[in-house]
Amino acid sequence: MAQRLRQARKLAVLTGAGVSRESGIPTFRDAQTGLWASYDPARLATPQGFLADPPLVWRWYDMRRAIVLDAQPNPGHLALSEMEEMIPSVVIITQNIDGLHARAGSRDIIELHGNIARYKCFENEHPQADVQPGLGEPPRCSCGSLLRPDVVWFGENLPPAALERAFSEIRSAQVALVVGTSGLVQPAASLPFIARHHGAYLVEVNPEETATTIIADCFLQGRSGEILPRIVEAMRDLKV
Ligand code: BV8
């Protein structure tokens, strides 16, 4: 498998919340803790959830943003960045909204679900740069619409350019590496199948089997923070 990676011209990496778990960011399916235990993330992360109670959803993202801004890239993020030294083209297609791949040094990142550190207005998607933290409820855009996090909620389309590029990159990759995703959320979950359909060698890294495991050429069971650095080591040991 290390040989395949080392000889690939293009590696496409699909990451999910599991990659950031070892940076202390709970995955979407981790039980909500404390104050948020009684809220269903799949309900809060929707336009309807936001309109039903803007201050509640605003505070939920404020809490999650504080965790993200406090988090550091872990050895899994760093290993993906190091692969760029040995493979001509590495594109990170992430479902995560935490920005940790960029902070780890990866240079070609497609954020399928947006980024929690960015804001836009609900009605017109006007970007909004600096928003005061700890407001307790969403401020308004100059157009009068409520501000919201610049993330993709359930029931919302993914940014068309990002999705189109993700499809194109995954179709032309020789190796697809799927890390830390349960493979339940569409359309991101279709990417590994598209990779396989176009002849990519499919590697999955996850402590548990997922919907993708059945089509993986190589399933490495374990934590990404432990396995990805070992893959990089194995690649470095290869004489190519
Ligand atoms: C869309 C941003 C077209 C927000 C997220 C009914 C009505 C409306 C829509 C639908 C519907 N039925 C289906 C849909 C489509 C829906 C969907 O797929 N629903 C699923 C749940 C059935 N998708 C959408 O709505 C998408 N848009 O389809 O538009 C459309 C338009 C209108 C109507 C219909 C369709 C938008 C999806 C994007 C949602 N936004 N995030 C926010 O974060 O607040 S998704 C969110 O959940 C996360 O971003 C993440 O992507 C996802 C969770 O997935 P994972 O990343 O895989 O995380 P998960 O917790 O599931 O798994 C973690 C994995 O890590 C596990 O496998 C675990 O074993 C592993 N792990 C744990 N520790 C480690 C590890 N791995 C490695 N190392 C470790 N240490």
Side-chain angles (χ1 to χ4, degrees), residues 128-216:
Q128 180 69 40
D130 38 59
V131 172
Q132 202 185 329
L135 286 178
E137 61 179 14
R140 289 191 181 271
C141 172
S142 52
C143 74
S145 172
L146 287 173
L147 289 187
R148 52 166 285 181
D150 185 10
V151 300
V152 180
W153 280 332
F154 288 100
E156 292 188 321
N157 289 312
L158 277 58
L163 186 57
E164 198 37 56
R165 184 151 180 257
F167 283 140
S168 149
E169 296 292 352
I170 207 94
R171 278 196 292 262
S172 57
Q174 287 77 42
V175 178
L177 178 57
V178 181
V179 192
T181 178
S182 59
L184 296 174
V185 174
Q186 293 295 352
S190 62
L191 291 169
F193 293 83
I194 293 170
R196 198 79 176 72
H197 178 71
H198 284 79
Y201 184 77
L202 190 60
V203 181
E204 182 182 29
V205 176
N206 198 310
E208 295 163 15
E209 293 201 357
T210 71
T212 304
T213 311
I214 190 143
I215 61 164

Side-chain angles (χ1 to χ4, degrees), residues 17-18 22 28-29 61 64 95 152 155-156 181-182 186 206 224:
E22 291 164 77
F28 221 67
R29 278 161 184 72
Y61 278 93
R64 292 174 63 195
Q95 301 171 82
V152 180
E156 292 188 321
T181 178
S182 59
Q186 293 295 352
N206 198 310
S224 48

